[in-house]
C-alpha cells in the first residue's frame, strides 16, 4: 500500500469535536454511521477492536462504537447521543468526568512538566498519603496499571517466601491470568491459557471465592510451596466477606504464605482503604489502581515494610520509566484530598443505594429475572435465584444482554459491574431510572414475543 493510500485511509469519518446532531443523524447510528464507522476502523487496525478488551462494544448498534466526550456522570458518542454513564471508564472515574479539582491539578502540573530524570516531590507526597490511609501500607511503589502491580506483588511474594506457587481468587489482570481454569477476563474462565507455557501455568492455581475447603486442599497438596494467595472480591457476594477474609488471613498465616488483596476495584470505593479497611483484615500486600486518580493511569503496591523491602536495592527489580509520571500523581493527590475532605465514599454508598435499589424495584415490579447484588458502590448484575424455573419457561440466557442493549437505546450505559460516581446527583439517578423503566417495558414486550 502506498503512503498516499495510507493517508487517504486515515481521513476522519467526521470531526468528532462536533457533538451536536440533527434528528436524522441521531437516528442514523442504527444504520451504521459515525459511531459504527469508527468501530469498523478500530477493528481493521486493532485486534479485538480496542486495546482494552472489555471496552470493545458487543451490543451494536445500540451500544456506542466510540465515546468522544464526558462531563460529570454523562458521556457522548460520535453521533452526539448522550448516555448517563455507569461504566465510568470500567471503574477508574470515581469522582466524575472533568472533575474540577482533578482537572485543575492536571493543568497546573502540565505547566511544570510531565516526566523527569529524577523523582518529583509528588511521588513522596502521594506515597505518604497512601501510607496514612491504607491499613497495610508502611511503604508503596507506583506503576501504571493494576495488572502489572499485581504481577509485581507476586514477584515480591516469591522472593520473600522463597516459594513458587500462587493461588488466585478472581480476576487479577491479563498479565496474571496464568492458571488453567482461572479468570482470563472478568467473569470469563478458560480451561487452557493460550500463550502461557504449561510449566508456568502449573505454578498458578485458580480457587473459587469463599471456598475455604478448596483452599485448604490446595495448601495440603502443595505443602510449603505456596508463596501467596491473591484475592479479588466477588462483587455480587461481598456479604460473605466478614467470614471469608478472616479465614483467608488465618489460613495463609498458618502455612507461611503471604496474603495479597487485589483492591483495584474495591479500594477508594467501598472504603478508602478497600476491603481491608471495611472488613478489618490486614493483608501483607495490596494493590490499588482504579480509584486513586479519577481516570489517570496509576497503580500502587502497598504493604508492610518487611515485605516491601524485597523490592529495595539488592532485591527484586521492579521499575518503570513512567511510574513517577507527574500528571497521574497530581491527579491522585487532588483525588485523595477530595475523598478525605468531601467524604466521597459515603457519597458513593448513598448514590449507589439510591440507584441500584431503584433498579431492583423495577425488576421486581415487572417480574424480570435480573437483580443488582453486592455493595452499592460496585455491585454486579446477576440472574435472580428466586426466579429459577419461573413460569414463562424460557431460558434466561440473553436477558441481561438484551436489557443492556435496551438501556443503551434509552441513553443509559451499563456494565456487568456498574458504578456510580461522585457526580451522579439525585436528578441524574431519577432520570436514569426513568429511562431504564422504558427499557424494562421494552424488555418484557421482547420476552412476550419470543
Amino acid at each position: 500500500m502506498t503512503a498516499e493510500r495510507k493517508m487517504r485511509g486515515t481521513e476522519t469519518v467526521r470531526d468528532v469535536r462536533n457533538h451536536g446532531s440533527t434528528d436524522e443523524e441521531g437516528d442514523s447510528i442504527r444504520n451504521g454511521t459515525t459511531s459504527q464507522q469508527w468501530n469498523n476502523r478500530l477493528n481493521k487496525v486493532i485486534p479485538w477492536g480496542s486495546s482494552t478488551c472489555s471496552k470493545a462494544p458487543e451490543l451494536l448498534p445500540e451500544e456506542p462504537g466510540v465515546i468522544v466526550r464526558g462531563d460529570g456522570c454523562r458521556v457522548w458518542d460520535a453521533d452526539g447521543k448522550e448516555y448517563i454513564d455507569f461504566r465510568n471508564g470500567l471503574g477508574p472515574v470515581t469522582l466524575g468526568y472533568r472533575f474540577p479539582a482533578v482537572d485543575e491539578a492536571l493543568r497546573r502540573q502540565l505547566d511544570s512538566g510531565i516526566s523527569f530524570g529524577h523523582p518529583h516531590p509528588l511521588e513522596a507526597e502521594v506515597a505518604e498519603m497512601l501510607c496514612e490511609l491504607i491499613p497495610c501500607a508502611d511503604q508503596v511503589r507506583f506503576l501504571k496499571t493494576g495488572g502489572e502491580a499485581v504481577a509485581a506483588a507476586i514477584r515480591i511474594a516469591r522472593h520473600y517466601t522463597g516459594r513458587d506457587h500462587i493461588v488466585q481468587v478472581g480476576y487479577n489482570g491479563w498479565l496474571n491470568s496464568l492458571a488453567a481454569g482461572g479468570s482470563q477476563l472478568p467473569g470469563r474462565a478458560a480451561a487452557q491459557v493460550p500463550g502461557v507455557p504449561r510449566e508456568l501455568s502449573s505454578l498458578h492455581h485458580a480457587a473459587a471465592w469463599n471456598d475455604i475447603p478448596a483452599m485448604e486442599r490446595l495448601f495440603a497438596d502443595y505443602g510449603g510451596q505456596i508463596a501467596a494467595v491473591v484475592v479479588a472480591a466477588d462483587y455480587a457476594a461481598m456479604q460473605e466477606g466478614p467470614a471469608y477474609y478472616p479465614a483467608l488471613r488465618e489460613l495463609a498465616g498458618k502455612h507461611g504464605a503471604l496474603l495479597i488483596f487485589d483492591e483495584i476495584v474495591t479500594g477508594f470505593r467501598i472504603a478508602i482503604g478497600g476491603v481491608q479497611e471495611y472488613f478489618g483484615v490486614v493483608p501483607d500486600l495490596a494493590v490499588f489502581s482504579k480509584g486513586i486518580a479519577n481516570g489517570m493511569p496509576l497503580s500502587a503496591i502497598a504493604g508492610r515494610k518487611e515485605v516491601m523491602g524485597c523490592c529495595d536495592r539488592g532485591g527484586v527489580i521492579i521499575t518503570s520509566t513512567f511510574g513517577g509520571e507527574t500528571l497521574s500523581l497530581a491527579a491522585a493527590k487532588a483525588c485523595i484530598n477530595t475523598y478525605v475532605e468531601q467524604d466521597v465514599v459515603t457519597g458513593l454508598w448513598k448514590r449507589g443505594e439510591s440507584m441500584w435499589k431503584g433498579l431492583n424495584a423495577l425488576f421486581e415490579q415487572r417480574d424480570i429475572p435480573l437483580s443488582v447484588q453486592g455493595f452499592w458502590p460496585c455491585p454486579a448484575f446477576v440472574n435472580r435465584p428466586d426466579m429459577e424455573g419461573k413460569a414463562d419457561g424460557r431460558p434466561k440466557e440473553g436477558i441481561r444482554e438484551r436489557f443492556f442493549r435496551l438501556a443503551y437505546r434509552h441513553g443509559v450505559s451499563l456494565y456487568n459491574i456498574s458504578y456510580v460516581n461522585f457526580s451522579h446527583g439525585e436528578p441524574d439517578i431519577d432520570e436514569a431510572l426513568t429511562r431504564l423503566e422504558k427499557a424494562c417495558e421494552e424488555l418484557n414486550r421482547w420476552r412476550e414475543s419470543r
Side-chain angles (χ1 to χ4, degrees):
M1 180 181 289
T2 66
E4 183 181 357
R5 284 186 63 196
K6 283 190 174 182
M7 288 299 293
R8 285 203 304 269
T10 62
E11 291 173 358
T12 58
V13 175
R14 177 183 164 197
D15 182 359
V16 296
R17 291 171 297 177
N18 177 9
H19 302 300
S21 62
T22 65
D23 290 341
E24 289 81 10
E25 286 174 315
D27 292 338
S28 66
I29 186 172
R30 282 159 180 74
N31 299 320
T33 58
T34 309
S35 197
Q36 177 69 64
Q37 287 178 46
W38 280 112
N39 179 255
N40 293 340
R41 287 174 65 172
L42 283 162
N43 278 285
K44 285 180 181 178
V45 293
I46 298 177
W48 207 294
S50 173
S51 297
T52 306
C53 295
S54 297
K55 291 185 180 182
E58 297 181 346
L59 300 173
L60 294 167
E62 288 83 2
E63 184 174 2
V66 292
I67 292 295
V68 300
R69 181 166 68 96
D71 190 19
C73 65
R74 297 174 189 243
V75 295
W76 287 261
D77 68 16
D79 294 277
K81 181 171 179 178
E82 175 207 80
Y83 303 82
I84 303 174
D85 185 35
F86 297 96
R87 292 171 75 94
N88 287 297
L90 307 185
V93 181
T94 53
L95 298 178
Y97 299 97
R98 300 179 63 227
F99 193 80
V102 175
D103 284 10
E104 289 164 11
L106 287 168
R107 292 188 186 99
R108 285 195 305 271
Q109 186 55 44
L110 190 59
D111 287 339
S112 298
I114 300 172
S115 193
F116 304 99
H118 288 86
H120 188 277
L122 279 167
E123 195 168 351
E125 291 175 342
V126 177
E128 289 167 350
M129 296 170 86
L130 294 178
C131 287
E132 183 178 346
L133 293 169
I134 297 170
C136 77
D138 294 327
Q139 293 185 320
V140 304
R141 284 287 294 270
F142 294 112
L143 291 165
K144 301 312 289 178
T145 70
E148 66 176 325
V150 172
I154 288 171
R155 186 170 294 193
I156 289 170
R158 282 176 166 150
H159 181 68
Y160 181 81
T161 62
R163 302 174 179 180
D164 294 333
H165 288 257
I166 302 294
V167 178
Q168 295 177 254
V169 180
Y171 177 68
N172 308 125
W174 75 271
L175 190 59
N176 311 295
S177 298
L178 304 173
S183 295
Q184 304 303 299
L185 282 171
R188 300 186 191 182
Q192 302 297 325
V193 190
V196 176
R198 187 175 303 152
E199 293 79 5
L200 177 57
S201 184
S202 68
L203 298 176
H204 290 254
H205 311 278
W209 166 266
N210 198 25
D211 190 345
I212 292 298
M215 190 74 68
E216 289 173 335
R217 287 193 294 274
L218 283 168
F219 275 108
D221 290 343
Y222 294 96
Q225 301 177 65
I226 294 176
V229 175
V230 185
V231 55
D234 182 333
Y235 308 114
M238 293 293 284
Q239 74 280 1
E240 298 168 357
Y244 182 52
Y245 282 109
L248 279 181
R249 175 70 280 178
E250 182 180 355
L251 192 59
K254 175 183 175 182
H255 292 278
L258 296 189
L259 182 59
I260 301 172
F261 284 177
D262 178 339
E263 300 266 26
I264 292 168
V265 169
T266 50
F268 288 81
R269 187 165 269 114
I270 69 166
I272 288 179
V275 295
Q276 59 189 280
E277 177 184 341
Y278 188 89
F279 293 115
V281 177
V282 180
D284 301 292
L285 292 168
V287 170
F288 292 76
S289 184
K290 288 190 178 183
I292 61 179
N294 200 46
M296 290 296 288
L298 187 67
S299 61
I301 318 156
R304 54 189 176 94
K305 187 173 183 178
E306 178 187 2
V307 178
M308 289 295 294
C310 288
C311 63
D312 209 335
R313 291 174 177 83
V316 170
I317 300 298
I318 296 168
T319 186
S320 170
T321 298
F322 299 108
E325 170 265 314
T326 63
L327 292 184
S328 294
L329 290 169
K333 181 179 177 180
C335 187
I336 294 168
N337 280 331
T338 301
Y339 264 81
V340 173
E341 294 166 4
Q342 299 190 35
D343 194 11
V344 168
V345 167
T346 297
L348 296 179
W349 276 89
K350 289 180 177 178
R351 289 161 173 78
E353 181 177 15
S354 187
M355 177 64 202
W356 307 123
K357 270 191 173 180
L359 183 54
N360 277 336
L362 291 176
F363 289 152
E364 291 169 7
Q365 291 162 11
R366 286 154 182 78
D367 215 26
I368 293 171
L370 294 172
S371 68
V372 185
Q373 293 183 7
F375 285 175
W376 299 127
C378 52
F381 280 83
V382 299
N383 292 333
R384 283 171 58 185
D386 59 309
M387 297 190 72
E388 292 291 341
K390 189 97 177 184
D392 66 11
R394 289 184 282 268
K396 292 195 297 293
E397 183 179 359
I399 290 285
R400 179 170 56 185
E401 291 74 15
R402 173 62 58 166
F403 175 69
F404 282 10
R405 185 184 294 278
L406 294 170
Y408 284 122
R409 180 180 296 173
H410 289 281
V412 180
S413 178
L414 298 172
Y415 187 53
N416 292 329
I417 310 298
S418 283
Y419 314 93
V420 292
N421 71 44
F422 196 54
S423 293
H424 280 101
E426 285 302 321
D428 301 303
I429 291 170
D430 290 344
E431 184 179 353
L433 290 172
T434 297
R435 295 182 183 190
L436 291 175
E437 184 174 17
K438 295 176 183 176
C440 288
E441 291 168 357
E442 286 194 35
L443 180 65
N444 273 346
R445 287 197 292 272
W446 172 77
R447 294 171 68 201
E448 291 166 3
S449 69
R450 292 172 67 192

